[in-house]
């Protein structure tokens, strides 16, 4: 029997679906899972694809089943488990074999793993996979980091399984070592911001306009047919219209308002801070999930402080207000994406990756959680202006910001006056207002820093005097 084209370790939710996707596209695949029973069950349940799947119960048997140089996808729990799995594989591998970590790794771990394998003759790929269970099964977006040579070995398989947008596969080699996992991390950071902004708009409709979940679902459904058309808006309509089979109430009304997080949003915010790039939308979204998890504290605070004493939420023209909400969400989304791409541009410089921004936007157009028509516009903007300092100064997006930021301002104002929390929407407005203002207020900060710490400042007239006339006696 011919050898498998590729191997996969980890038949959990993502691994099992990815393996079926690979087999369905005509490739022979060897599979292994720590718990052997899972491998047996997976193979037994694989239907028509059974003949292309080689179930293996030992690592030795697994490695022998794959054609060298062997590409081996490791799709297991991120973190230490990956290091352990790599160590267990190593004794059986030969020069040129490629271990591919496809989990949600911290890119710094990926960089470390490249370092560990250096000079061993073994190769490594850090591969971000987005799209959840459905994406893994029918077409994910795939972000690859490693050598171009190792990518060439797996390109055909990855191209065949990736999502397609207008026939173009949503997979690309993005750069050396940690590039793929870094881009996947920022993808998830943007996803956090996108989801938080949607949740804030939902909050305004629910608590401000007192609309039912079903009615709000209708609004999102309408928006999904317009410029906000995207997977996240589409599923928001669906979740808002779903009914709880136990109570008959709207499902969302029965779900506890505590959001989970696994780390990629936080990593995005940390990396942005480390590089000194503002990513306020992502930071606001991560913080909002943290506040959401403090359910008991929030309930206790509501008993002590009460809700803001603001009275009725005032809206004169409901239809116009809902149009403003749509435009506000679009403007805020532009802010979050602009920040995410700026973080990637900074990382690209810092780590020497040469990240291709139009390509990143291109492979996010389908398959991944943030897929949308909007990403096609980003692809086009970065293709026309690859060296733009920021997405929001490219001609197409500058025009969109100018068109929609008024709505964002009105919505944030209404929410603030109505006592409704909109940290992510407000962060986008603050970002636009700070970024577009040539003369800011940091002159006062510089004066303060010089006053208490003699840090010095640059002058607007270029004169050669870098300390203020504060006087030593003033300095407490
Ligand atoms: P999952 O369903 O919980 O499956 C976990 C897999 O990891 C199982 O095959 C498990 O084997 C294996 N595993 C756990 N600890 C191990 C160890 N110490 N050594 C060897 N194998 C070990 O997880 P998943 O959702 O498929 O996620 C897999 C990876 O994909 C994670 O990095 C996740 O962050 C990432 N990811 C997930 C999604 C998603 O939507 N779920 C999307 C993108 C990326 P056993 O059967 O023996 O327990």
């Amino acid at each position: 029997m011919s050898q498998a084209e590729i191997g996969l370790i980890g038949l959990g939710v993502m691994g099992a679906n990815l393996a079926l996707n690979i087999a369905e596209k005509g490739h022979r695949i060897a599979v292994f899972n720590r718990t052997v029973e899972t491998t047996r069950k997976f193979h037994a349940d694989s239907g028509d694809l059974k003949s292309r799947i080689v179930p293996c119960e030992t690592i030795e048997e697994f490695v022998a089943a794959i054609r060298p140089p062997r590409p081996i996808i490791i799709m297991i729990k991120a973190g230490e488990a990956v290091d352990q799995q790599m160590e267990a594989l190593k004794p059986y591998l030969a020069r040129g074999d490629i271990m591919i970590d496809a989990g949600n790794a911290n890119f710094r771990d990926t960089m470390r793993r490249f370092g560990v394998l250096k000079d061993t003759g073994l190769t490594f790929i850090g591969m971000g996979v987005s799209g959840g269970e459905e994406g893994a099964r029918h077409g994910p977006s795939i972000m690859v980091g490693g050598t171009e040579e190792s990518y060439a070995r797996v390109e055909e398989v990855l191209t065949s399984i990736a999502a397609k947008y207008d026939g173009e596969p949503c997979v690309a080699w993005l750069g050396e070592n940690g590039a793929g996992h870094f881009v996947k991390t920022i993808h998830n950071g943007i996803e956090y911001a996108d989801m938080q902004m949607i949740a804030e708009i939902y909050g305004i409709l629910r608590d401000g306009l007192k609309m039912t979940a079903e009615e709000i679902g209708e609004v999102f459904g309408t928006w999904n047919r317009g410029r906000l058309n995207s997977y996240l808006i589409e599923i928001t309509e669906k979740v808002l219209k779903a009914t709880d089979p136990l109570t008959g109430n709207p499902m969302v009304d029965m779900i506890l308002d505590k959001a989970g997080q696994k780390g990629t949003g936080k990593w995005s915010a940390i990396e942005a801070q480390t590089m000194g790039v503002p990513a306020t939308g992502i930071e606001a979204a991560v913080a909002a999930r943290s506040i959401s998890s403090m359910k008991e504290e929030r309930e206790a605070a509501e008993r002590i402080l009460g809700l803001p004493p603001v009275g009725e939420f005032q809206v004169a023209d409901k239809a116009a207000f809902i149009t403003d909400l749509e435009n506000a969400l679009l403007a805020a989304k532009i802010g979050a994406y602009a920040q995410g791409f700026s973080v990637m541009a900074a990382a690209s410089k810092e780590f020497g990756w040469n990240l291709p921004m139009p390509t990143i936007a291109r492979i996010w157009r389908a398959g991944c959680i943030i897929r949308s028509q909007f990403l096609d516009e980003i692809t086009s903007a970065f293709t026309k202006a690859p060296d733009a300092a920021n997405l929001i100064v490219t001609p197409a997006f500058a025009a969109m910001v100018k068109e929609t930021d008024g709505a964002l301002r009105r919505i944030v104002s209404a929410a603030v006056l109505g006592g409704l929390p909109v940290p992510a929407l407000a962060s986008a407005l603050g970002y636009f207002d700070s970024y577009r203002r040539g003369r800011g207020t940091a002159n006062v900060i510089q004066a303060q820093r010089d006053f208490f710490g003699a840090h010095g400042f640059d002058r607007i007239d270029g004169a050669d005097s870098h300390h203020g006339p504060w006087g030593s006696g003033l300095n407490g």
Side-chain angles (χ1 to χ4, degrees):
M1 195 178 281
S2 65
Q3 283 187 300
E5 187 57 24
I6 192 162
L8 182 141
I9 296 180
L11 294 169
V13 175
M14 291 297 284
N17 282 292
L18 210 56
L20 292 174
N21 186 357
I22 292 172
E24 191 176 66
K25 300 300 172 322
H27 310 286
R28 209 170 152 67
I29 178 166
V31 296
F32 173 86
N33 192 71
R34 176 180 64 173
T35 308
V36 169
E37 195 42 49
T38 305
T39 312
R40 291 185 190 142
K41 185 165 185 327
F42 171 75
H43 190 237
D45 294 346
S46 56
D48 293 350
L49 301 172
K50 210 177 207 168
S51 63
R52 292 198 200 118
I53 295 170
V54 188
C56 304
E57 301 199 355
T58 65
I59 288 279
E60 195 171 2
E61 184 194 339
F62 170 74
V63 171
I66 310 164
R67 176 175 75 80
R70 305 174 180 87
I72 297 175
I73 297 176
I74 302 174
M75 189 49 129
I76 64 175
K77 193 170 161 225
E80 243 173 68
V82 174
D83 292 305
Q84 290 162 5
Q85 189 60 69
M86 288 173 67
E87 281 306 309
L89 265 173
K90 260 175 121 176
Y92 301 97
L93 300 182
R95 178 165 280 282
D97 288 350
I98 310 164
M99 289 190 267
I100 305 168
D101 178 14
N104 271 341
N106 184 317
F107 87 104
R108 293 195 181 271
D109 281 338
T110 303
M111 307 276 265
R112 174 177 55 73
R113 290 175 184 134
F114 271 97
V116 169
L117 290 184
K118 197 166 169 269
D119 304 327
T120 61
L122 299 176
T123 314
F124 191 61
I125 285 180
M127 182 168 101
V129 178
S130 178
E133 182 176 357
E134 187 66 16
R137 179 66 184 88
H138 298 293
S141 168
I142 306 175
M143 296 144 256
V144 182
T147 63
E148 260 194 289
E149 190 191 357
S150 54
Y151 178 60
R153 170 71 179 85
V154 287
E155 187 172 1
E156 192 194 327
V157 172
L158 297 183
T159 302
S160 71
I161 63 165
K164 308 288 180 304
Y165 184 95
D166 280 350
E168 285 182 54
C170 292
V171 55
W173 172 75
L174 299 175
E176 299 278 334
N177 53 59
H181 275 144
F182 187 85
V183 170
K184 171 66 182 7
T185 298
I186 299 303
H187 164 282
N188 286 24
I190 293 174
E191 176 186 311
Y192 269 58
D194 227 337
M195 291 168 72
Q196 175 62 23
M197 287 164 174
I198 289 172
E200 290 174 12
I201 295 281
Y202 156 76
I204 296 171
L205 291 163
R206 184 191 68 181
D207 301 328
L209 297 190
K210 311 284 184 217
M211 289 167 69
T212 64
E214 174 76 25
E215 289 165 347
I216 302 170
E218 262 318 291
V219 171
F220 278 97
T222 308
W223 290 350
N224 196 38
R225 292 187 287 279
R227 289 195 296 182
L228 286 171
N229 171 264
S230 63
Y231 174 70
L232 281 171
I233 297 286
E234 178 192 328
I235 65 166
T236 305
E237 175 189 6
K238 288 184 179 154
V239 299
L240 286 164
K241 288 185 174 175
T243 303
D244 174 25
L246 293 182
T247 60
N249 292 333
M251 191 68 245
V252 282
D253 291 349
M254 302 306 296
I255 297 176
L256 200 62
D257 53 329
K258 279 170 89 165
Q261 49 180 325
K262 286 193 175 159
T264 43
K266 181 179 78 180
W267 297 340
S268 301
I270 289 172
E271 295 306 333
Q273 290 280 5
T274 304
M275 289 183 293
V277 181
T280 54
I282 299 172
E283 288 162 12
V286 174
R289 285 202 194 186
S290 301
I291 283 217
S292 84
S293 71
M294 303 170 180
K295 177 74 174 170
E296 294 74 23
E297 264 183 76
R298 286 189 288 117
E299 284 174 339
E302 185 174 334
R303 283 193 294 275
I304 295 167
L305 300 167
L307 292 175
V310 291
E312 279 288 293
F313 191 84
Q314 298 294 333
V315 170
D317 179 342
K318 188 172 165 187
F321 186 78
I322 290 178
T323 303
D324 261 1
L325 281 171
E326 180 181 12
N327 287 323
L329 185 51
L330 181 63
K333 186 172 162 136
I334 293 170
Y337 281 66
Q339 293 174 353
F341 275 91
S342 294
V343 175
M344 289 191 288
S348 183
K349 262 194 212 140
E350 177 143 343
F351 299 104
W353 287 329
N354 207 11
L355 291 177
M357 300 307 162
T359 303
I360 293 169
R362 181 173 64 70
I363 65 172
W364 285 353
R365 291 178 305 176
C368 64
I369 303 298
I370 63 170
R371 61 183 179 262
S372 65
Q373 161 191 311
F374 178 77
L375 276 155
D376 201 32
E377 297 174 56
I378 297 183
T379 307
S380 157
F382 277 130
T383 304
K384 288 181 194 149
D387 299 322
N390 189 307
L391 182 66
I392 62 172
V393 297
T394 61
F397 279 83
M400 269 194 260
V401 169
K402 285 188 199 167
E403 183 203 331
T404 55
D405 72 337
L408 180 60
R409 198 174 302 286
R410 287 189 291 277
I411 292 302
V412 169
S413 305
V416 169
L417 292 173
L420 301 175
V422 286
L425 296 175
S427 80
L429 190 60
Y431 179 68
F432 291 147
D433 288 346
S434 316
Y435 190 79
R436 77 201 307 174
R437 183 165 289 271
R439 172 72 171 160
T441 55
N443 46 327
V444 173
I445 293 171
Q446 284 299 78
Q448 291 165 334
R449 292 179 70 242
D450 187 53
F451 189 106
F452 66 66
H455 294 294
F457 47 73
D458 291 333
R459 297 175 57 101
I460 58 170
D461 57 9
D464 192 18
S465 164
H466 304 289
H467 290 286
W470 321 126
S472 55
L474 293 171
N475 203 336

